Amino acid sequence: MKQTSSIKQKAGQFLHILLPILITQIALSAITFFDTNMSGKFGTNDLAGVAIGTSLWIPIQTGLSGILMGITPIVSHLIGSRRNKDVAHQVMQGMWLSLLVSVLVLILGGLALSPVLNFMNLEPEVRDIAFRFLRAISFGIIPLFGYTIVRSCIDALGQTRVSMFITLIALPVNVGLNYLLIFGNFGFPRLGGVGAGVASAITYWVIFLISLVFIYRAEPFRGLQLFRKFHAMSLGSFKELLKIGVPIGFSIFFETAVFSAVTLLMSRFDTVTIAAHQAAINFASTLYMIPLSICMSLTILVGFESGSGRLKDARQYGFMGIGTAAVLSLLTALVLLFAGSHVAGLYSDAPEVISLIQHFLIYAIFFQISDAIATPIQGVLRGYKDVTPAFIICFVAYWVIGLPVGYLLATYTDLGAYGYWIGLITGLAIGAILLLSRLIRVQRRFALEKA
């Protein structure tokens, strides 16, 4: 990254950071899509088993990855303040922490997996596939969390194209392994949905090893002397990383888990309603990659500028990112409004399902507009290392307000399933307002400190 003076230069650097991150996030979501889709081609029970396994794995994986992503603003601040020699130590501490987190997940997951699946009262074959899928993917937990640290460092240096390149390698590797292991092609074992878990675990090892080669041999990473010297565990560094990472991780976990909770609560409705809800949520999640990518870009840019003491530049990047997300949300709203039937047709051929998906997509318009404000603001706050209040705001907005309001509307009014969506919209809107208020306070505090 480099210092910029004009708005034009800032826009260029913003896009330089953003576009590779957006492509990376879409590619990562595509891996989950192909796991589910290709398992469904093998059989209905495999589709259900992989879907159950994925729904249990994703909130945990994203939440814990969020904790480890706390290394991003730390490295950005170090680079911005020209303390490059400290980066290798901090990244090594991140790797130690990722290893500890991985071991903890493996131990607790091994103890809790069977009781959780038994509690869900699944059909025996579906339960068995879900269990074996999760057990298979667990062999990739250590490299996945290790890659999270390496990728966060790469992105913090503004080298987001490198992360994009590695992830784009991962996608065909994962799809190819799915083809071999799910269907048993070319003499490989025919594992069905479980093969998707094996393929994902192998893919995690591949991208982790490739990323290590990059940061060890390629510039500008080579100049930072990453992993060329042994650094023992440091509780002080752990404390700094966890102080930033835990609120980030819990914010992400509570946001992803609330959708899983709504899906479970929706199970009392008929199959058509559940299918339409899932389709609309899936498309809304795809659109969410836009504000999420802007959020990650702003963490890097604002962290770099605030670490350098250039608070005016940090503030300008914040406004630029939030404004870009808002404009793009209005454009996607027009797509949902005028092309909703075409979007719905991607998920089903049944007229009653398509009609219901269209109705849910109307609610998704308001849903993603709130997301377009709240998510980039979180990225700006992370760049300022102000993360705990955002975590509290997200918890209150989604779980104390959004989910209960949705439950009350769905249960005690004629809105039915739409009530849950109104509840989520309410929570997201309140969260966006509170986060914006927090951002204004933080920027004022930084301005006073500089003065």
Side-chain angles (χ1 to χ4, degrees), residues 39-201:
S39 297
K41 300 294 184 183
F42 187 85
T44 303
N45 286 333
D46 292 85
L47 172 61
V50 172
I52 294 292
T54 301
S55 67
L56 291 173
W57 167 237
I58 291 297
I60 295 171
Q61 181 253 313
T62 54
L64 293 175
S65 292
I67 293 175
L68 300 174
M69 284 166 56
I71 197 70
T72 302
I74 291 174
V75 173
S76 291
H77 270 254
L78 290 174
I79 296 297
S81 56
R82 301 185 185 280
R83 295 167 55 196
N84 294 23
K85 292 183 179 179
D86 295 333
V87 172
H89 172 78
Q90 291 292 350
V91 172
M92 192 67 219
Q93 298 309 309
M95 292 298 291
W96 280 121
L97 185 60
S98 76
L99 182 60
L100 294 176
V101 167
S102 300
V103 172
L104 188 64
V105 171
L106 289 170
I107 293 172
L108 295 180
L111 294 173
L113 183 55
S114 288
V116 169
L117 291 174
N118 291 337
F119 176 78
M120 297 178 75
N121 196 28
L122 302 167
E123 293 181 12
E125 188 173 350
V126 173
R127 182 208 176 280
D128 180 62
I129 291 170
F131 178 84
R132 291 191 294 132
F133 170 84
L134 288 169
R135 189 173 61 180
I137 210 170
S138 69
F139 287 95
I141 286 177
I142 290 176
L144 173 64
F145 289 148
Y147 174 64
T148 300
I149 292 294
V150 176
R151 182 195 165 187
S152 296
C153 174
I154 291 171
D155 289 348
L157 293 171
Q159 302 296 316
T160 52
R161 290 186 180 183
V162 174
S163 298
M164 178 188 72
F165 174 75
I166 295 171
T167 308
L168 288 178
I169 291 174
L171 184 56
V173 168
N174 183 258
V175 172
L177 289 170
N178 278 349
Y179 178 74
L180 297 174
L181 296 171
I182 292 176
F183 303 104
N185 290 308
F186 296 103
F188 281 81
R190 195 167 184 261
L191 301 176
V194 178
V198 177
S200 293

Side-chain angles (χ1 to χ4, degrees), residues 91-92 95 98 142-151 153-154 162-163 166 204-219 221-222 225-228:
V91 172
M92 192 67 219
M95 292 298 291
S98 76
I142 290 176
L144 173 64
F145 289 148
Y147 174 64
T148 300
I149 292 294
V150 176
R151 182 195 165 187
C153 174
I154 291 171
V162 174
S163 298
I166 295 171
Y204 295 152
W205 278 106
V206 169
I207 60 176
F208 178 52
L209 294 174
I210 292 174
S211 68
L212 288 178
V213 171
F214 258 103
I215 65 170
Y216 193 80
R217 302 189 64 176
E219 293 293 353
F221 318 110
R222 188 176 180 179
Q225 300 291 300
L226 298 172
F227 304 123
R228 293 174 183 270

